[in-house]
Amino acid sequence: MRFHIITLFPKTFDSYIKESIIARARADKKISFAFYDPRDFTKDVHKRIDRKPYGGGPGMVMEAEPVLKAVEK
């Protein structure tokens, strides 16, 4: 079984996949993981993947293009 995970922080998963039953399943090649960082699919020099909302307000909104390119890959 192969898991494809899109995340801005792929290194945060290291502790999960290197411990316990998941680590054993991975060592036995029963499961595998592929991580995709949306920042790798931006055209922006600063690798920004979010912008302020058009209508204003608090927070940020992720851009669709980098996420969709990560899904395609």
Side-chain angles (χ1 to χ4, degrees), residues 19-55:
E19 297 291 329
S20 187
I21 195 166
I22 295 175
R24 288 190 305 240
R26 202 168 159 221
D28 293 341
K29 299 191 190 272
K30 293 183 179 183
I31 62 173
S32 64
F33 298 91
F35 292 95
Y36 305 95
D37 187 346
R39 288 186 178 108
D40 295 337
F41 301 95
T42 63
K43 297 176 184 172
D44 187 349
V45 174
H46 303 289
K47 300 211 178 257
R48 290 184 56 180
I49 50 93
D50 57 355
R51 301 280 188 255
K52 292 183 179 181
Y54 287 112

PDB file of all heavy atoms in Angstrom, residues 19-55:
ATOM      1  N   GLU A  19       8.470   4.766  13.830  1.00  0.00           N
ATOM      2  CA  GLU A  19       8.181   4.161  15.130  1.00  0.00           C
ATOM      3  C   GLU A  19       7.129   3.064  15.003  1.00  0.00           C
ATOM      4  O   GLU A  19       6.328   3.062  14.073  1.00  0.00           O
ATOM      5  CB  GLU A  19       7.663   5.224  16.107  1.00  0.00           C
ATOM      6  CG  GLU A  19       8.643   6.312  16.432  1.00  0.00           C
ATOM      7  CD  GLU A  19       9.818   5.821  17.262  1.00  0.00           C
ATOM      8  OE1 GLU A  19       9.650   4.883  18.056  1.00  0.00           O
ATOM      9  OE2 GLU A  19      10.918   6.381  17.105  1.00  0.00           O
ATOM     10  N   SER A  20       7.156   2.152  15.924  1.00  0.00           N
ATOM     11  CA  SER A  20       6.111   1.170  16.182  1.00  0.00           C
ATOM     12  C   SER A  20       5.742   0.328  14.966  1.00  0.00           C
ATOM     13  O   SER A  20       6.590  -0.049  14.171  1.00  0.00           O
ATOM     14  CB  SER A  20       4.887   1.905  16.739  1.00  0.00           C
ATOM     15  OG  SER A  20       3.921   1.006  17.160  1.00  0.00           O
ATOM     16  N   ILE A  21       4.470   0.054  14.851  1.00  0.00           N
ATOM     17  CA  ILE A  21       3.976  -0.869  13.824  1.00  0.00           C
ATOM     18  C   ILE A  21       4.157  -0.303  12.414  1.00  0.00           C
ATOM     19  O   ILE A  21       4.369  -1.054  11.455  1.00  0.00           O
ATOM     20  CB  ILE A  21       2.505  -1.235  14.102  1.00  0.00           C
ATOM     21  CG1 ILE A  21       2.109  -2.448  13.286  1.00  0.00           C
ATOM     22  CG2 ILE A  21       1.586  -0.065  13.856  1.00  0.00           C
ATOM     23  CD1 ILE A  21       0.803  -3.071  13.733  1.00  0.00           C
ATOM     24  N   ILE A  22       4.099   1.006  12.292  1.00  0.00           N
ATOM     25  CA  ILE A  22       4.296   1.630  10.976  1.00  0.00           C
ATOM     26  C   ILE A  22       5.721   1.397  10.500  1.00  0.00           C
ATOM     27  O   ILE A  22       5.956   1.094   9.328  1.00  0.00           O
ATOM     28  CB  ILE A  22       3.949   3.127  11.020  1.00  0.00           C
ATOM     29  CG1 ILE A  22       2.448   3.290  11.308  1.00  0.00           C
ATOM     30  CG2 ILE A  22       4.307   3.811   9.720  1.00  0.00           C
ATOM     31  CD1 ILE A  22       2.016   4.713  11.492  1.00  0.00           C
ATOM     32  N   ALA A  23       6.688   1.513  11.386  1.00  0.00           N
ATOM     33  CA  ALA A  23       8.088   1.273  11.022  1.00  0.00           C
ATOM     34  C   ALA A  23       8.298  -0.177  10.602  1.00  0.00           C
ATOM     35  O   ALA A  23       9.029  -0.453   9.648  1.00  0.00           O
ATOM     36  CB  ALA A  23       9.002   1.629  12.177  1.00  0.00           C
ATOM     37  N   ARG A  24       7.669  -1.110  11.299  1.00  0.00           N
ATOM     38  CA  ARG A  24       7.806  -2.528  10.936  1.00  0.00           C
ATOM     39  C   ARG A  24       7.168  -2.817   9.580  1.00  0.00           C
ATOM     40  O   ARG A  24       7.738  -3.541   8.759  1.00  0.00           O
ATOM     41  CB  ARG A  24       7.178  -3.411  12.016  1.00  0.00           C
ATOM     42  CG  ARG A  24       7.993  -3.431  13.286  1.00  0.00           C
ATOM     43  CD  ARG A  24       7.480  -4.483  14.228  1.00  0.00           C
ATOM     44  NE  ARG A  24       6.062  -4.278  14.476  1.00  0.00           N
ATOM     45  CZ  ARG A  24       5.529  -4.056  15.667  1.00  0.00           C
ATOM     46  NH1 ARG A  24       6.284  -4.030  16.733  1.00  0.00           N
ATOM     47  NH2 ARG A  24       4.234  -3.887  15.805  1.00  0.00           N
ATOM     48  N   ALA A  25       5.997  -2.260   9.338  1.00  0.00           N
ATOM     49  CA  ALA A  25       5.333  -2.458   8.052  1.00  0.00           C
ATOM     50  C   ALA A  25       6.150  -1.845   6.923  1.00  0.00           C
ATOM     51  O   ALA A  25       6.241  -2.409   5.832  1.00  0.00           O
ATOM     52  CB  ALA A  25       3.934  -1.854   8.082  1.00  0.00           C
ATOM     53  N   ARG A  26       6.761  -0.726   7.199  1.00  0.00           N
ATOM     54  CA  ARG A  26       7.613  -0.072   6.198  1.00  0.00           C
ATOM     55  C   ARG A  26       8.873  -0.891   5.930  1.00  0.00           C
ATOM     56  O   ARG A  26       9.296  -1.038   4.777  1.00  0.00           O
ATOM     57  CB  ARG A  26       7.977   1.315   6.709  1.00  0.00           C
ATOM     58  CG  ARG A  26       8.381   2.257   5.651  1.00  0.00           C
ATOM     59  CD  ARG A  26       8.444   3.654   6.212  1.00  0.00           C
ATOM     60  NE  ARG A  26       9.294   4.405   5.317  1.00  0.00           N
ATOM     61  CZ  ARG A  26      10.189   5.281   5.691  1.00  0.00           C
ATOM     62  NH1 ARG A  26      10.341   5.577   6.949  1.00  0.00           N
ATOM     63  NH2 ARG A  26      10.926   5.883   4.806  1.00  0.00           N
ATOM     64  N   ALA A  27       9.461  -1.447   6.972  1.00  0.00           N
ATOM     65  CA  ALA A  27      10.655  -2.283   6.817  1.00  0.00           C
ATOM     66  C   ALA A  27      10.343  -3.560   6.045  1.00  0.00           C
ATOM     67  O   ALA A  27      11.171  -4.039   5.268  1.00  0.00           O
ATOM     68  CB  ALA A  27      11.236  -2.627   8.181  1.00  0.00           C
ATOM     69  N   ASP A  28       9.139  -4.086   6.228  1.00  0.00           N
ATOM     70  CA  ASP A  28       8.704  -5.287   5.507  1.00  0.00           C
ATOM     71  C   ASP A  28       8.178  -4.967   4.109  1.00  0.00           C
ATOM     72  O   ASP A  28       7.692  -5.858   3.416  1.00  0.00           O
ATOM     73  CB  ASP A  28       7.617  -6.016   6.302  1.00  0.00           C
ATOM     74  CG  ASP A  28       8.134  -6.598   7.591  1.00  0.00           C
ATOM     75  OD1 ASP A  28       9.368  -6.763   7.722  1.00  0.00           O
ATOM     76  OD2 ASP A  28       7.308  -6.882   8.489  1.00  0.00           O
ATOM     77  N   LYS A  29       8.235  -3.681   3.741  1.00  0.00           N
ATOM     78  CA  LYS A  29       7.778  -3.195   2.429  1.00  0.00           C
ATOM     79  C   LYS A  29       6.301  -3.484   2.177  1.00  0.00           C
ATOM     80  O   LYS A  29       5.882  -3.732   1.052  1.00  0.00           O
ATOM     81  CB  LYS A  29       8.646  -3.758   1.313  1.00  0.00           C
ATOM     82  CG  LYS A  29      10.094  -3.345   1.451  1.00  0.00           C
ATOM     83  CD  LYS A  29      10.888  -3.666   0.221  1.00  0.00           C
ATOM     84  CE  LYS A  29      12.334  -3.467   0.469  1.00  0.00           C
ATOM     85  NZ  LYS A  29      12.938  -2.294   0.295  1.00  0.00           N
ATOM     86  N   LYS A  30       5.519  -3.420   3.244  1.00  0.00           N
ATOM     87  CA  LYS A  30       4.070  -3.578   3.118  1.00  0.00           C
ATOM     88  C   LYS A  30       3.394  -2.236   2.876  1.00  0.00           C
ATOM     89  O   LYS A  30       2.317  -2.186   2.295  1.00  0.00           O
ATOM     90  CB  LYS A  30       3.501  -4.237   4.364  1.00  0.00           C
ATOM     91  CG  LYS A  30       3.967  -5.672   4.499  1.00  0.00           C
ATOM     92  CD  LYS A  30       3.358  -6.350   5.676  1.00  0.00           C
ATOM     93  CE  LYS A  30       3.868  -7.792   5.709  1.00  0.00           C
ATOM     94  NZ  LYS A  30       3.287  -8.551   6.784  1.00  0.00           N
ATOM     95  N   ILE A  31       4.032  -1.171   3.342  1.00  0.00           N
ATOM     96  CA  ILE A  31       3.530   0.171   3.082  1.00  0.00           C
ATOM     97  C   ILE A  31       4.707   1.064   2.690  1.00  0.00           C
ATOM     98  O   ILE A  31       5.856   0.779   3.012  1.00  0.00           O
ATOM     99  CB  ILE A  31       2.802   0.781   4.298  1.00  0.00           C
ATOM    100  CG1 ILE A  31       3.743   0.936   5.488  1.00  0.00           C
ATOM    101  CG2 ILE A  31       1.560  -0.009   4.653  1.00  0.00           C
ATOM    102  CD1 ILE A  31       3.131   1.674   6.659  1.00  0.00           C
ATOM    103  N   SER A  32       4.381   2.126   1.973  1.00  0.00           N
ATOM    104  CA  SER A  32       5.392   3.127   1.635  1.00  0.00           C
ATOM    105  C   SER A  32       4.730   4.498   1.596  1.00  0.00           C
ATOM    106  O   SER A  32       3.502   4.606   1.517  1.00  0.00           O
ATOM    107  CB  SER A  32       6.054   2.809   0.291  1.00  0.00           C
ATOM    108  OG  SER A  32       5.109   2.877  -0.745  1.00  0.00           O
ATOM    109  N   PHE A  33       5.537   5.512   1.672  1.00  0.00           N
ATOM    110  CA  PHE A  33       5.039   6.878   1.725  1.00  0.00           C
ATOM    111  C   PHE A  33       5.731   7.722   0.671  1.00  0.00           C
ATOM    112  O   PHE A  33       6.919   7.562   0.420  1.00  0.00           O
ATOM    113  CB  PHE A  33       5.318   7.496   3.103  1.00  0.00           C
ATOM    114  CG  PHE A  33       4.635   6.791   4.227  1.00  0.00           C
ATOM    115  CD1 PHE A  33       5.259   5.755   4.896  1.00  0.00           C
ATOM    116  CD2 PHE A  33       3.365   7.162   4.618  1.00  0.00           C
ATOM    117  CE1 PHE A  33       4.646   5.092   5.937  1.00  0.00           C
ATOM    118  CE2 PHE A  33       2.734   6.508   5.658  1.00  0.00           C
ATOM    119  CZ  PHE A  33       3.368   5.476   6.318  1.00  0.00           C
ATOM    120  N   ALA A  34       4.967   8.628   0.082  1.00  0.00           N
ATOM    121  CA  ALA A  34       5.517   9.634  -0.822  1.00  0.00           C
ATOM    122  C   ALA A  34       4.999  10.985  -0.341  1.00  0.00           C
ATOM    123  O   ALA A  34       3.791  11.156  -0.151  1.00  0.00           O
ATOM    124  CB  ALA A  34       5.078   9.381  -2.254  1.00  0.00           C
ATOM    125  N   PHE A  35       5.914  11.905  -0.109  1.00  0.00           N
ATOM    126  CA  PHE A  35       5.539  13.226   0.383  1.00  0.00           C
ATOM    127  C   PHE A  35       5.734  14.257  -0.714  1.00  0.00           C
ATOM    128  O   PHE A  35       6.717  14.217  -1.455  1.00  0.00           O
ATOM    129  CB  PHE A  35       6.396  13.601   1.596  1.00  0.00           C
ATOM    130  CG  PHE A  35       6.112  12.751   2.790  1.00  0.00           C
ATOM    131  CD1 PHE A  35       6.893  11.637   3.056  1.00  0.00           C
ATOM    132  CD2 PHE A  35       5.066  13.044   3.632  1.00  0.00           C
ATOM    133  CE1 PHE A  35       6.637  10.838   4.140  1.00  0.00           C
ATOM    134  CE2 PHE A  35       4.796  12.253   4.730  1.00  0.00           C
ATOM    135  CZ  PHE A  35       5.575  11.143   4.989  1.00  0.00           C
ATOM    136  N   TYR A  36       4.781  15.181  -0.799  1.00  0.00           N
ATOM    137  CA  TYR A  36       4.819  16.241  -1.798  1.00  0.00           C
ATOM    138  C   TYR A  36       4.634  17.573  -1.081  1.00  0.00           C
ATOM    139  O   TYR A  36       3.660  17.774  -0.365  1.00  0.00           O
ATOM    140  CB  TYR A  36       3.714  16.055  -2.835  1.00  0.00           C
ATOM    141  CG  TYR A  36       3.754  14.693  -3.485  1.00  0.00           C
ATOM    142  CD1 TYR A  36       2.971  13.652  -3.006  1.00  0.00           C
ATOM    143  CD2 TYR A  36       4.586  14.449  -4.566  1.00  0.00           C
ATOM    144  CE1 TYR A  36       3.018  12.394  -3.593  1.00  0.00           C
ATOM    145  CE2 TYR A  36       4.633  13.198  -5.157  1.00  0.00           C
ATOM    146  CZ  TYR A  36       3.851  12.178  -4.669  1.00  0.00           C
ATOM    147  OH  TYR A  36       3.902  10.936  -5.247  1.00  0.00           O
ATOM    148  N   ASP A  37       5.570  18.477  -1.293  1.00  0.00           N
ATOM    149  CA  ASP A  37       5.496  19.809  -0.706  1.00  0.00           C
ATOM    150  C   ASP A  37       4.995  20.767  -1.782  1.00  0.00           C
ATOM    151  O   ASP A  37       5.648  20.930  -2.821  1.00  0.00           O
ATOM    152  CB  ASP A  37       6.890  20.231  -0.222  1.00  0.00           C
ATOM    153  CG  ASP A  37       6.867  21.531   0.542  1.00  0.00           C
ATOM    154  OD1 ASP A  37       5.859  22.257   0.488  1.00  0.00           O
ATOM    155  OD2 ASP A  37       7.880  21.822   1.200  1.00  0.00           O
ATOM    156  N   PRO A  38       3.837  21.411  -1.576  1.00  0.00           N
ATOM    157  CA  PRO A  38       3.315  22.341  -2.580  1.00  0.00           C
ATOM    158  C   PRO A  38       4.290  23.450  -2.944  1.00  0.00           C
ATOM    159  O   PRO A  38       4.245  23.978  -4.054  1.00  0.00           O
ATOM    160  CB  PRO A  38       2.063  22.919  -1.920  1.00  0.00           C
ATOM    161  CG  PRO A  38       1.649  21.912  -0.918  1.00  0.00           C
ATOM    162  CD  PRO A  38       2.915  21.270  -0.443  1.00  0.00           C
ATOM    163  N   ARG A  39       5.217  23.770  -2.042  1.00  0.00           N
ATOM    164  CA  ARG A  39       6.208  24.814  -2.347  1.00  0.00           C
ATOM    165  C   ARG A  39       7.113  24.414  -3.512  1.00  0.00           C
ATOM    166  O   ARG A  39       7.668  25.259  -4.189  1.00  0.00           O
ATOM    167  CB  ARG A  39       7.050  25.104  -1.117  1.00  0.00           C
ATOM    168  CG  ARG A  39       6.295  25.843  -0.054  1.00  0.00           C
ATOM    169  CD  ARG A  39       7.226  26.232   1.088  1.00  0.00           C
ATOM    170  NE  ARG A  39       6.506  26.982   2.082  1.00  0.00           N
ATOM    171  CZ  ARG A  39       6.175  26.538   3.276  1.00  0.00           C
ATOM    172  NH1 ARG A  39       6.526  25.317   3.640  1.00  0.00           N
ATOM    173  NH2 ARG A  39       5.504  27.286   4.114  1.00  0.00           N
ATOM    174  N   ASP A  40       7.255  23.123  -3.743  1.00  0.00           N
ATOM    175  CA  ASP A  40       8.087  22.661  -4.856  1.00  0.00           C
ATOM    176  C   ASP A  40       7.426  22.902  -6.210  1.00  0.00           C
ATOM    177  O   ASP A  40       8.060  22.738  -7.244  1.00  0.00           O
ATOM    178  CB  ASP A  40       8.378  21.162  -4.707  1.00  0.00           C
ATOM    179  CG  ASP A  40       9.218  20.867  -3.478  1.00  0.00           C
ATOM    180  OD1 ASP A  40       9.923  21.776  -2.994  1.00  0.00           O
ATOM    181  OD2 ASP A  40       9.170  19.711  -3.003  1.00  0.00           O
ATOM    182  N   PHE A  41       6.161  23.291  -6.209  1.00  0.00           N
ATOM    183  CA  PHE A  41       5.423  23.455  -7.451  1.00  0.00           C
ATOM    184  C   PHE A  41       5.018  24.900  -7.704  1.00  0.00           C
ATOM    185  O   PHE A  41       4.103  25.171  -8.473  1.00  0.00           O
ATOM    186  CB  PHE A  41       4.164  22.572  -7.427  1.00  0.00           C
ATOM    187  CG  PHE A  41       4.478  21.120  -7.251  1.00  0.00           C
ATOM    188  CD1 PHE A  41       4.454  20.534  -6.000  1.00  0.00           C
ATOM    189  CD2 PHE A  41       4.836  20.335  -8.339  1.00  0.00           C
ATOM    190  CE1 PHE A  41       4.759  19.196  -5.828  1.00  0.00           C
ATOM    191  CE2 PHE A  41       5.143  19.009  -8.183  1.00  0.00           C
ATOM    192  CZ  PHE A  41       5.107  18.431  -6.919  1.00  0.00           C
ATOM    193  N   THR A  42       5.689  25.844  -7.064  1.00  0.00           N
ATOM    194  CA  THR A  42       5.374  27.258  -7.270  1.00  0.00           C
ATOM    195  C   THR A  42       6.334  27.876  -8.274  1.00  0.00           C
ATOM    196  O   THR A  42       7.440  27.390  -8.475  1.00  0.00           O
ATOM    197  CB  THR A  42       5.459  28.054  -5.955  1.00  0.00           C
ATOM    198  OG1 THR A  42       6.800  28.007  -5.487  1.00  0.00           O
ATOM    199  CG2 THR A  42       4.509  27.519  -4.911  1.00  0.00           C
ATOM    200  N   LYS A  43       5.900  28.954  -8.874  1.00  0.00           N
ATOM    201  CA  LYS A  43       6.758  29.717  -9.781  1.00  0.00           C
ATOM    202  C   LYS A  43       7.382  30.903  -9.053  1.00  0.00           C
ATOM    203  O   LYS A  43       8.272  31.553  -9.569  1.00  0.00           O
ATOM    204  CB  LYS A  43       5.937  30.217 -10.969  1.00  0.00           C
ATOM    205  CG  LYS A  43       5.376  29.093 -11.814  1.00  0.00           C
ATOM    206  CD  LYS A  43       4.504  29.630 -12.912  1.00  0.00           C
ATOM    207  CE  LYS A  43       3.873  28.495 -13.690  1.00  0.00           C
ATOM    208  NZ  LYS A  43       2.883  28.949 -14.637  1.00  0.00           N
ATOM    209  N   ASP A  44       6.887  31.158  -7.857  1.00  0.00           N
ATOM    210  CA  ASP A  44       7.332  32.272  -7.041  1.00  0.00           C
ATOM    211  C   ASP A  44       8.766  32.034  -6.546  1.00  0.00           C
ATOM    212  O   ASP A  44       9.107  30.945  -6.101  1.00  0.00           O
ATOM    213  CB  ASP A  44       6.379  32.404  -5.848  1.00  0.00           C
ATOM    214  CG  ASP A  44       6.636  33.634  -5.003  1.00  0.00           C
ATOM    215  OD1 ASP A  44       7.667  34.288  -5.198  1.00  0.00           O
ATOM    216  OD2 ASP A  44       5.798  33.929  -4.147  1.00  0.00           O
ATOM    217  N   VAL A  45       9.591  33.048  -6.606  1.00  0.00           N
ATOM    218  CA  VAL A  45      10.980  32.955  -6.155  1.00  0.00           C
ATOM    219  C   VAL A  45      11.039  32.628  -4.659  1.00  0.00           C
ATOM    220  O   VAL A  45      11.913  31.897  -4.210  1.00  0.00           O
ATOM    221  CB  VAL A  45      11.724  34.286  -6.435  1.00  0.00           C
ATOM    222  CG1 VAL A  45      13.117  34.264  -5.842  1.00  0.00           C
ATOM    223  CG2 VAL A  45      11.768  34.556  -7.917  1.00  0.00           C
ATOM    224  N   HIS A  46      10.070  33.140  -3.906  1.00  0.00           N
ATOM    225  CA  HIS A  46      10.045  32.945  -2.463  1.00  0.00           C
ATOM    226  C   HIS A  46       9.270  31.681  -2.057  1.00  0.00           C
ATOM    227  O   HIS A  46       9.137  31.403  -0.868  1.00  0.00           O
ATOM    228  CB  HIS A  46       9.434  34.158  -1.778  1.00  0.00           C
ATOM    229  CG  HIS A  46      10.153  35.426  -2.097  1.00  0.00           C
ATOM    230  ND1 HIS A  46      11.411  35.716  -1.611  1.00  0.00           N
ATOM    231  CD2 HIS A  46       9.814  36.472  -2.887  1.00  0.00           C
ATOM    232  CE1 HIS A  46      11.808  36.885  -2.076  1.00  0.00           C
ATOM    233  NE2 HIS A  46      10.864  37.371  -2.856  1.00  0.00           N
ATOM    234  N   LYS A  47       8.773  30.955  -3.038  1.00  0.00           N
ATOM    235  CA  LYS A  47       8.035  29.702  -2.821  1.00  0.00           C
ATOM    236  C   LYS A  47       6.814  29.892  -1.923  1.00  0.00           C
ATOM    237  O   LYS A  47       6.475  29.047  -1.106  1.00  0.00           O
ATOM    238  CB  LYS A  47       8.946  28.628  -2.265  1.00  0.00           C
ATOM    239  CG  LYS A  47      10.098  28.308  -3.201  1.00  0.00           C
ATOM    240  CD  LYS A  47      10.504  26.890  -3.076  1.00  0.00           C
ATOM    241  CE  LYS A  47      11.608  26.586  -4.059  1.00  0.00           C
ATOM    242  NZ  LYS A  47      11.159  25.888  -5.192  1.00  0.00           N
ATOM    243  N   ARG A  48       6.112  31.009  -2.117  1.00  0.00           N
ATOM    244  CA  ARG A  48       4.886  31.276  -1.353  1.00  0.00           C
ATOM    245  C   ARG A  48       3.742  30.467  -1.941  1.00  0.00           C
ATOM    246  O   ARG A  48       3.587  30.374  -3.144  1.00  0.00           O
ATOM    247  CB  ARG A  48       4.536  32.760  -1.400  1.00  0.00           C
ATOM    248  CG  ARG A  48       5.505  33.601  -0.615  1.00  0.00           C
ATOM    249  CD  ARG A  48       5.114  35.035  -0.591  1.00  0.00           C
ATOM    250  NE  ARG A  48       3.750  35.145  -0.060  1.00  0.00           N
ATOM    251  CZ  ARG A  48       3.105  36.285   0.088  1.00  0.00           C
ATOM    252  NH1 ARG A  48       3.683  37.408  -0.254  1.00  0.00           N
ATOM    253  NH2 ARG A  48       1.897  36.314   0.578  1.00  0.00           N
ATOM    254  N   ILE A  49       2.948  29.910  -1.074  1.00  0.00           N
ATOM    255  CA  ILE A  49       1.806  29.119  -1.542  1.00  0.00           C
ATOM    256  C   ILE A  49       0.489  29.679  -1.014  1.00  0.00           C
ATOM    257  O   ILE A  49      -0.566  29.114  -1.282  1.00  0.00           O
ATOM    258  CB  ILE A  49       1.945  27.642  -1.128  1.00  0.00           C
ATOM    259  CG1 ILE A  49       2.271  27.486   0.359  1.00  0.00           C
ATOM    260  CG2 ILE A  49       3.020  26.964  -1.927  1.00  0.00           C
ATOM    261  CD1 ILE A  49       1.082  27.316   1.172  1.00  0.00           C
ATOM    262  N   ASP A  50       0.553  30.795  -0.298  1.00  0.00           N
ATOM    263  CA  ASP A  50      -0.683  31.376   0.214  1.00  0.00           C
ATOM    264  C   ASP A  50      -0.678  32.888   0.020  1.00  0.00           C
ATOM    265  O   ASP A  50       0.352  33.501  -0.177  1.00  0.00           O
ATOM    266  CB  ASP A  50      -0.897  31.025   1.675  1.00  0.00           C
ATOM    267  CG  ASP A  50       0.260  31.460   2.572  1.00  0.00           C
ATOM    268  OD1 ASP A  50       1.271  31.957   2.039  1.00  0.00           O
ATOM    269  OD2 ASP A  50       0.146  31.284   3.789  1.00  0.00           O
ATOM    270  N   ARG A  51      -1.854  33.447   0.031  1.00  0.00           N
ATOM    271  CA  ARG A  51      -2.045  34.885  -0.138  1.00  0.00           C
ATOM    272  C   ARG A  51      -3.141  35.342   0.818  1.00  0.00           C
ATOM    273  O   ARG A  51      -3.907  34.536   1.333  1.00  0.00           O
ATOM    274  CB  ARG A  51      -2.474  35.224  -1.577  1.00  0.00           C
ATOM    275  CG  ARG A  51      -1.485  34.793  -2.637  1.00  0.00           C
ATOM    276  CD  ARG A  51      -0.340  35.796  -2.731  1.00  0.00           C
ATOM    277  NE  ARG A  51       0.499  35.480  -3.871  1.00  0.00           N
ATOM    278  CZ  ARG A  51       1.697  34.923  -3.776  1.00  0.00           C
ATOM    279  NH1 ARG A  51       2.178  34.605  -2.626  1.00  0.00           N
ATOM    280  NH2 ARG A  51       2.416  34.673  -4.839  1.00  0.00           N
ATOM    281  N   LYS A  52      -3.251  36.651   0.979  1.00  0.00           N
ATOM    282  CA  LYS A  52      -4.339  37.199   1.781  1.00  0.00           C
ATOM    283  C   LYS A  52      -5.658  37.006   1.031  1.00  0.00           C
ATOM    284  O   LYS A  52      -5.680  37.025  -0.204  1.00  0.00           O
ATOM    285  CB  LYS A  52      -4.107  38.687   2.035  1.00  0.00           C
ATOM    286  CG  LYS A  52      -2.924  38.953   2.941  1.00  0.00           C
ATOM    287  CD  LYS A  52      -2.770  40.423   3.217  1.00  0.00           C
ATOM    288  CE  LYS A  52      -1.585  40.635   4.144  1.00  0.00           C
ATOM    289  NZ  LYS A  52      -1.398  42.033   4.473  1.00  0.00           N
ATOM    290  N   PRO A  53      -6.770  36.836   1.735  1.00  0.00           N
ATOM    291  CA  PRO A  53      -8.063  36.672   1.071  1.00  0.00           C
ATOM    292  C   PRO A  53      -8.431  37.927   0.272  1.00  0.00           C
ATOM    293  O   PRO A  53      -8.156  39.046   0.708  1.00  0.00           O
ATOM    294  CB  PRO A  53      -9.050  36.445   2.198  1.00  0.00           C
ATOM    295  CG  PRO A  53      -8.262  36.272   3.438  1.00  0.00           C
ATOM    296  CD  PRO A  53      -6.868  36.740   3.174  1.00  0.00           C
ATOM    297  N   TYR A  54      -9.065  37.747  -0.872  1.00  0.00           N
ATOM    298  CA  TYR A  54      -9.452  38.888  -1.707  1.00  0.00           C
ATOM    299  C   TYR A  54     -10.431  39.809  -0.999  1.00  0.00           C
ATOM    300  O   TYR A  54     -10.391  41.009  -1.145  1.00  0.00           O
ATOM    301  CB  TYR A  54     -10.066  38.410  -3.026  1.00  0.00           C
ATOM    302  CG  TYR A  54      -9.050  37.851  -3.973  1.00  0.00           C
ATOM    303  CD1 TYR A  54      -9.041  36.504  -4.292  1.00  0.00           C
ATOM    304  CD2 TYR A  54      -8.087  38.663  -4.553  1.00  0.00           C
ATOM    305  CE1 TYR A  54      -8.109  35.974  -5.156  1.00  0.00           C
ATOM    306  CE2 TYR A  54      -7.131  38.157  -5.416  1.00  0.00           C
ATOM    307  CZ  TYR A  54      -7.166  36.805  -5.713  1.00  0.00           C
ATOM    308  OH  TYR A  54      -6.237  36.288  -6.565  1.00  0.00           O
ATOM    309  N   GLY A  55     -11.328  39.240  -0.220  1.00  0.00           N
ATOM    310  CA  GLY A  55     -12.332  40.048   0.467  1.00  0.00           C
ATOM    311  C   GLY A  55     -11.831  40.656   1.754  1.00  0.00           C
ATOM    312  O   GLY A  55     -12.569  41.325   2.457  1.00  0.00           O
TER     313      GLY A  55
END
